[in-house]
Amino acid sequence: MTYETIANDLIELLGLKGSPVAVKLAKTQADIPPGCQKIDEKHRHCQFVQEARLRGLTGYATRAEHQCKGGASVMGIEPAPEIVADGTTYQKLGNFKTVEGAVETVHAIPRLDETNYASVYAPLEKAEFEPDVVVFVVTPRQALRLSQAYLHTSGGRIASDYSGIQSLCADAVVAVKQRGVPNMTLGCNGSRKYSGIAEDEVILGFPPQDLGAMVEALRTFKQKWG
């Protein structure tokens, strides 16, 4: 199945609002997919994901286009500012009672060690590149069906590893790219404020190679459960 077919099937079978979003991290300018254009506006990673999901944005963002330095840093696009790396930012924002608690959390957040040139985005049905991760912004019921579809072939369990900060970047992209398994996150203050994720929506990231089998599972569920 092509990504276009997979995406259209997922949208139809789950009744998704918008599209699953293909995300790729390009190590160098030469790794930018052919024909992919730089995004003109400056945004946060979570906003780029939402723009691709809801408005069909396709393009790439370098360090200059990333407004959220925390998100850009965990994806390897730029070094983390000291006030982010040492927990000061999150402690001052009120996320943590102490700097020590902030530091412990920041150090536990998934982050890439390698340096990347840009992040690349597209609705999955328009992706003309191999994504590292496919991000879903969905209702809890749709998240349930996606989880069941992922487990349909081999069983097991799905982790939900998050801390309420750096959610669409560290949790939904970096953790999935590093571990090769899905992760679910609830968003963070920034992503819900700036990107318009609704109160009844959660976020999941999936390795792209699992999606074809998930579509087949969803078809089975439709036959058995309606």
Side-chain angles (χ1 to χ4, degrees), residues 2-26:
T2 66
Y3 284 130
E4 180 180 11
T5 300
I6 288 172
N8 289 333
D9 285 345
L10 288 167
I11 292 167
E12 179 183 356
L13 289 163
L14 292 167
L16 296 181
K17 176 183 177 182
S19 301
V21 178
V23 179
K24 172 184 172 66
L25 297 176

Side-chain angles (χ1 to χ4, degrees), residues 154-220:
S154 301
R157 291 180 66 81
I158 291 178
S160 182
D161 176 29
Y162 63 93
S163 59
I165 58 176
Q166 297 182 332
S167 57
L168 270 79
C169 47
D171 298 343
V173 173
V174 176
V176 179
K177 177 177 169 61
Q178 285 181 327
R179 302 167 188 172
V181 295
N183 191 35
M184 186 175 76
T185 182
L186 300 182
C188 56
N189 293 351
S191 62
R192 290 194 177 273
K193 177 180 180 180
Y194 294 109
S195 71
I197 294 172
E199 290 189 5
D200 63 347
E201 292 177 328
V202 298
I203 304 98
L204 296 96
F206 284 91
Q209 62 267 23
D210 296 320
L211 297 180
M214 290 169 62
V215 167
E216 295 304 321
L218 289 167
R219 289 196 181 111
T220 298

Side-chain angles (χ1 to χ4, degrees), residues 110-181:
R111 66 180 58 249
L112 296 175
D113 294 329
E114 70 263 25
T115 299
N116 288 303
Y117 171 71
S119 50
V120 186
Y121 307 91
L124 184 61
E125 66 272 19
K126 296 181 180 179
E128 296 183 356
F129 56 87
E130 183 66 26
D132 291 316
V133 178
V134 177
V135 177
F136 292 78
V137 181
V138 294
T139 66
R141 185 179 185 278
Q142 291 165 339
L144 167 65
R145 288 290 180 262
L146 283 167
S147 301
Q148 291 170 324
Y150 175 78
L151 298 174
H152 185 255
T153 301
S154 301
R157 291 180 66 81
I158 291 178
S160 182
D161 176 29
Y162 63 93
S163 59
I165 58 176
Q166 297 182 332
S167 57
L168 270 79
C169 47
D171 298 343
V173 173
V174 176
V176 179
K177 177 177 169 61
Q178 285 181 327
R179 302 167 188 172
V181 295

Side-chain angles (χ1 to χ4, degrees), residues 85-87 96 98-109 163 165:
D86 67 9
F96 303 97
T98 65
V99 172
E100 290 77 14
V103 169
E104 181 175 350
T105 305
V106 167
H107 287 175
I109 290 172
S163 59
I165 58 176

